[in-house]
Amino acid sequence: MAILSLRYRGNELRNFPIGVGDSFVIGRHPVNDIVIDNLAVSFQHAKIESIGDEFLLIDLKSENGSFVNDQRIKAHWLIDGDEITIGKHCLMFANPKSNHVCTSGPESIIKTMQIDTERLRALLRQDRPQPPCDAPAPKTSALDDRVGLKALLVVLSGEKKELILGDTPVRIGKAANADIVVRGFGVGSTAAVVNRLPDGWYLSYVGGLAKIRVNRVPVKSSIKLQRLDVIRLRGTMIQFLLSAGG
């Protein structure tokens, strides 16, 4: 298993094991797998994807660029000892099994990852439009006005559990630290995120080859969840519920 060691000014901050089938998104927003809280880092800055037994680093059109061994890159096959620089932080890549340069360049994979993650980055960075001063206040449903309204995600299969939704995003994916862990081929470390906006709760696609669906319809960007919606990812079913009880 490869190791990513996050460092700042020579001090080791944290290690991230990355294995076959894993993917890691690096950026400033808390939804990322590796969060670097620095203004020089873009919301969605770069991504490391496992392809076979090799690891590919892709810059996600970041504002300040991604560097490997002091060279700016768009995409780079990582080998043991590579030093990735993002903002003022660096990530040391250690993988003794990968000490040769991979010469196969899957351009279609690189372009797909850039497009998918750029879409997510746009969703995360966009500000909700502000209505004109003389515009009427937006209408809210009677259900949203109820006192003690509570939103839940209920896992109906696999690891059965209930999660009460609040202001903290809920991560769905195969990473061990995901709020709802989903196993299976093609499931991203963070496949999707459920978060709260002023007008309700939204499911946003993040990454992975496995399709995530709401009521059997694939979600490619972001969708507002409605009461009793069923989210499906591989063999896992999750239902979105709204309760007026305490």
Side-chain angles (χ1 to χ4, degrees):
M1 178 174 287
I3 300 290
L4 291 165
S5 177
L6 180 63
R7 301 181 181 181
Y8 180 70
R9 294 184 177 178
N11 297 316
E12 186 174 290
L13 303 179
R14 185 177 174 186
N15 289 327
F16 299 87
I18 178 169
V20 174
D22 286 344
S23 63
F24 280 79
V25 181
I26 307 163
R28 197 170 81 242
H29 195 278
V31 76
N32 292 291
D33 301 293
I34 300 178
V35 179
I36 301 178
D37 188 11
N38 187 286
L39 292 178
V41 180
S42 298
F43 274 36
Q44 300 279 292
H45 196 104
K47 183 174 185 177
I48 296 175
E49 187 79 13
S50 168
I51 301 174
D53 57 356
E54 303 289 343
F55 296 91
L56 181 65
L57 170 70
I58 301 169
D59 180 77
L60 300 174
K61 297 183 179 179
S62 62
E63 294 180 9
N64 294 314
S66 301
F67 297 79
V68 176
N69 305 327
D70 295 327
Q71 298 293 318
R72 186 164 185 168
I73 60 93
K74 291 184 178 179
H76 174 84
W77 290 101
L78 293 168
I79 62 173
D80 185 45
D82 275 347
E83 180 176 340
I84 305 163
T85 302
I86 293 178
K88 296 181 179 180
H89 290 67
C90 74
L91 286 158
M92 298 299 300
F93 179 78
N95 185 18
K97 294 183 179 180
S98 179
N99 53 14
H100 64 282
V101 177
C102 180
T103 57
S104 59
E107 292 298 325
S108 61
I109 294 176
I110 294 172
K111 290 178 181 177
T112 299
M113 290 179 186
Q114 287 176 332
I115 292 170
D116 287 347
T117 314
E118 183 177 293
R119 183 185 298 117
L120 172 65
R121 184 173 62 179
L123 287 170
L124 292 172
R125 297 184 68 172
Q126 70 182 4
D127 292 322
R128 292 183 59 78
Q130 298 299 317
C133 295
D134 56 351
K139 295 181 179 180
T140 58
S141 68
L143 183 60
D144 289 340
D145 288 336
R146 293 180 187 176
V147 176
L149 180 67
K150 183 168 62 176
L152 304 94
L153 288 177
V154 179
V155 182
L156 303 175
S157 58
E159 182 191 358
K160 294 181 173 61
K161 64 189 297 185
E162 292 185 3
L163 286 176
I164 298 175
L165 298 177
D167 293 329
T168 302
V170 170
R171 296 173 58 198
I172 303 171
K174 71 177 180 181
N177 61 348
D179 299 290
I180 298 177
V181 178
V182 177
R183 307 295 183 187
F185 175 76
V187 177
S189 293
T190 299
V193 173
V194 176
N195 61 347
R196 185 177 189 175
L197 293 176
D199 63 337
W201 282 267
Y202 283 75
L203 173 78
S204 298
Y205 166 79
V206 177
L209 299 176
K211 292 182 179 179
I212 188 162
R213 303 171 185 268
V214 174
N215 304 328
R216 302 188 183 277
V217 178
V219 176
K220 297 180 180 180
S221 55
S222 183
I223 184 173
K224 183 179 180 180
L225 293 172
Q226 306 296 329
R227 183 173 178 268
L228 302 180
D229 277 351
V230 175
I231 303 164
R232 288 178 170 86
L233 180 60
R234 285 303 183 193
T236 299
M237 292 192 301
I238 307 161
Q239 190 163 42
F240 175 72
L241 299 176
L242 286 173
S243 169

